[in-house]
Amino acid sequence: MSVPIILATTRRILAQLKHDHRTLGMLIGVPSLLMILLRYVFDEPVLFDRIGPMLLGLFPFLIMFVVTSVATLRERTGGTLERLMSMPTGRLDLLLGYSLAFGLLTLVQVGVVLVIALTWLDLDLSGSLASLVVVAVLDALLGMALGLLASAFARTEFQAVQFMPAFVLPQLLLCGLIIPRERMASWLEAVSDVLPLTYAVDGMREIAANPDVTGRLLLDVAVIAGFVAVALLLGAATLRRRTA
Amino acid sequence: MMSYKPAVSVRDLRVMRGGRAVLHGLTFDVPRGAVVGLLGPSGCGKTTLMRALVGVQIVEGGTVAVLDAEAGSPGVRRRVGYATQNPAVYADLTVAENLAYFASVLRAPRSDVERVIGEVGLGDHRDQIVSTLSGGQLSRANLAVALLGAPELLVLDEPTVGLDPVLRNELWDLFRRLADRGVTLVVSSHVMDEARRTDRLLLMREGRLLADGTPDDLRARTGADDLEDAFLRLIAEHEESAP
């Protein structure tokens, strides 16, 4: 592992985004726009206070999944991954460089949404801001790690983009956001128990409802972190130095 | 300057791709400080061989040693420069940003960025986004990355493709200057007139080495005046001996 290579990779990814104003604008603007829409679609502060934080966990996850799966697929198909693998780059350097860049991006993304939600939209958050930001960044890293893993199974950007519904929509249906998990058939509840997004949404719900850091929140955080670690390790295994 | 120990030593290299043998037991050495041309028709295995030299190709059997170490082993990764045929640079960054990134990965000095931009003649385009470069500029940007650091071995896959004769000439002059400093170059091409600018030629066809020698040797051996003819005669010879 090399810190200079990690930092150089983070700088490079941020520079790529800096040149791509449209992507950057959408990364920051779309979650805010959706939040505003949500507030006025429900038009009921109590409901918004309950759902809003859950979406704050969902946006970074969704967006980082898509961005990372396409970005790493480009590295694989464009030859830059092979070039980096012929250099002293470690696989971990690349993964941590990506994590740091997207982690920073999530801070900005969540920061903007939060400012809008807490001032203009009057979101009433019971829990602490800090824990909300921690869970949001973890959710983003989860999306990133899964996107990286998914990119190994796509040959084209066309396929990569379609992994979003394939990987993410089933989780979205089962995570408890649409229908409480207790009301699902028991086998569906069992499936949702092993899906990472369940814990991401549950963590946000805890923060929305409780002023203190609850044991359940800590458990959610630990489970998400575990999923991130496993997905990153599996993702690392798909970055091969030698290919056929 | 050619020293005694070869820069590249390949023994019985065999590579399979998609269940098909692509390289059938290649054996050759490349002396240090030589410019070696790797020539052969498209699809003959040049790129696969070059990938094996930099250690990114899964090989079926045989050994590939570069600079006295196993190809692709951690110790040699900084000492080997590699430019693929399809440019492997970030299209959404400027030329200078690309080079700065790869220079950091190689822990090459910052001043290297300006040096290599000068060497490939991209000074007027240093702050241009790569996706807006012309084909020739793009392949020079790709080559510039391989020149970062102080590589002792350069593996360049078709570095002059799509370049006009003036630029091609300038790059071959650069290759010669690098070789004079002791750098070993393995350069693939399918343009036969580039072959005369090499010290050694490896002629490949269908995953086998047809010939390995100096351009003069090959002309003398086949009795052909130009290398294109020599190549064709070697193919005919090969097909007679192994129907």
Side-chain angles (χ1 to χ4, degrees), chain A residues 110-157:
Chain A
V110 171
V112 172
V113 186
L114 266 181
V115 167
I116 293 176
L118 293 174
T119 56
W120 175 10
L121 306 176
D122 288 325
L123 178 74
D124 190 10
L125 194 67
S126 304
S128 77
L129 268 182
S131 46
L132 185 137
V133 170
V134 166
V135 174
V137 169
L138 267 180
D139 289 351
L141 293 182
L142 180 66
M144 190 206 79
L146 289 177
L148 189 96
L149 187 58
S151 79
F153 300 99
R155 293 250 167 85
T156 62
E157 289 183 26

Side-chain angles (χ1 to χ4, degrees), chain A residues 181-239:
Chain A
R181 300 192 319 123
E182 309 82 62
R183 277 171 45 200
M184 293 176 192
S186 59
W187 66 276
L188 284 177
E189 196 181 344
V191 171
S192 84
D193 278 342
V194 295
L195 296 176
L197 199 60
T198 304
Y199 299 90
V201 167
D202 194 68
M204 284 302 188
R205 192 180 2 235
E206 285 297 298
I207 293 168
N210 298 295
D212 303 317
V213 175
T214 61
R216 186 160 165 182
L217 174 59
L218 289 178
L219 180 70
D220 287 330
V221 166
V223 172
I224 303 166
F227 270 110
V228 171
V230 171
L232 276 179
L233 284 177
L234 290 175
T238 69
L239 298 174

Side-chain angles (χ1 to χ4, degrees), chain A residues 9-72:
Chain A
T9 304
T10 300
R11 263 202 312 278
R12 185 262 296 174
I13 294 163
L14 294 177
Q16 284 179 291
L17 284 167
K18 199 181 74 190
H19 286 299
D20 188 351
H21 297 153
R22 205 171 297 176
T23 296
L24 201 57
M26 290 206 284
L27 282 175
I28 312 274
V30 170
S32 307
L33 183 73
L34 289 175
M35 209 60 162
I36 295 165
L37 266 178
L38 190 77
R39 165 68 184 79
Y40 291 104
V41 165
F42 283 115
D43 211 20
E44 216 181 298
V46 182
L47 206 54
F48 180 62
D49 287 346
R50 201 165 66 78
I51 309 260
M54 288 196 240
L55 288 186
L56 269 174
L58 198 62
F59 293 145
F61 173 81
L62 274 178
I63 292 169
M64 294 309 160
F65 180 91
V66 177
V67 171
T68 316
S69 55
V70 174
T72 45

Side-chain angles (χ1 to χ4, degrees), chain B residues 61-191:
Chain B
T63 58
V64 183
V66 298
L67 307 171
D68 304 323
E70 191 197 338
S73 56
V76 292
R77 279 185 217 142
R78 287 178 63 191
R79 299 161 61 203
V80 178
Y82 172 43
T84 48
Q85 189 177 348
N86 295 324
V89 283
Y90 296 98
D92 43 6
L93 292 180
T94 67
V95 173
E97 284 170 338
N98 263 291
L99 291 168
Y101 173 52
F102 288 114
S104 316
V105 170
L106 291 165
R107 263 167 272 169
R110 275 279 137 149
S111 57
D112 258 27
V113 171
E114 301 308 321
R115 174 179 65 82
V116 299
I117 285 177
E119 279 174 342
V120 301
L122 277 179
D124 293 340
H125 304 279
R126 75 181 293 287
D127 295 317
Q128 200 173 324
I129 299 282
V130 163
S131 62
T132 66
L133 295 175
S134 73
Q137 289 160 356
L138 182 57
S139 77
R140 279 183 285 153
N142 187 45
L143 172 63
V145 178
L147 300 175
L148 290 167
E152 294 161 55
L153 171 67
L154 277 172
V155 179
L156 308 176
D157 201 354
E158 305 259 3
T160 60
V161 82
L163 297 186
D164 63 68
V166 178
L167 274 172
R168 216 156 58 187
N169 198 39
E170 280 175 15
L171 285 186
W172 278 98
D173 286 342
L174 170 65
F175 299 161
R176 181 52 61 196
R177 284 201 304 280
L178 290 167
D180 289 343
R181 292 209 306 252
V183 178
T184 310
L185 292 96
V186 178
V187 184
S188 77
S189 176
H190 60 260
V191 185

